Amino acid sequence: RTCDQLRCTACDFRVSHFNDYIWDQSCDYLFFRNNMPELSKLRAKMIKKKGARAYACQCSWRSIDEPTDLQTEQQLRWVCGKH
């Protein structure tokens, strides 16, 4: 489980999450910078994977397919956006 109101303190964007998807390995900073938050554009680099979840803001992205503590990821600046 994760907060559904995550916000990035680096780019000030809401963190989007997509169930049953991972990001293609070719994803890079410019892809997210130019395409967030438009799902129709993001789908070009989404790969279906049951049980996984793809996260992204405008400057960072992660694909998670097993329980992971995102707080240990030093480069992520995602915090609860307050409910």
Side-chain angles (χ1 to χ4, degrees):
R1 273 179 79 129
T2 184
C3 173
D4 63 354
Q5 299 294 318
L6 289 175
R7 187 153 200 92
C8 180
T9 60
C11 66
D12 198 32
F13 254 63
R14 185 168 183 255
V15 177
S16 297
H17 61 274
F18 307 97
N19 292 328
D20 298 323
Y21 285 96
I22 59 173
W23 297 114
D24 186 85
Q25 295 219 356
S26 67
C27 288
D28 61 10
Y29 172 81
L30 285 177
F31 172 75
F32 291 102
R33 186 77 180 169
N34 292 328
N35 297 303
M36 278 301 286
E38 295 184 45
L39 180 58
S40 61
K41 292 181 178 181
L42 293 173
R43 285 187 190 248
K45 298 214 178 201
M46 294 171 79
I47 300 169
K48 192 105 169 123
K49 184 173 182 184
K50 188 159 178 64
R53 184 178 279 175
Y55 293 90
C57 60
Q58 202 176 37
C59 69
S60 301
W61 62 97
R62 287 291 177 278
S63 296
I64 306 294
D65 59 2
E66 61 185 37
T68 303
D69 184 359
L70 291 176
Q71 292 178 334
T72 62
E73 299 271 339
Q74 296 296 319
Q75 58 272 49
L76 292 180
R77 299 202 176 157
W78 297 346
V79 297
C80 175
K82 309 289 185 232
H83 298 279

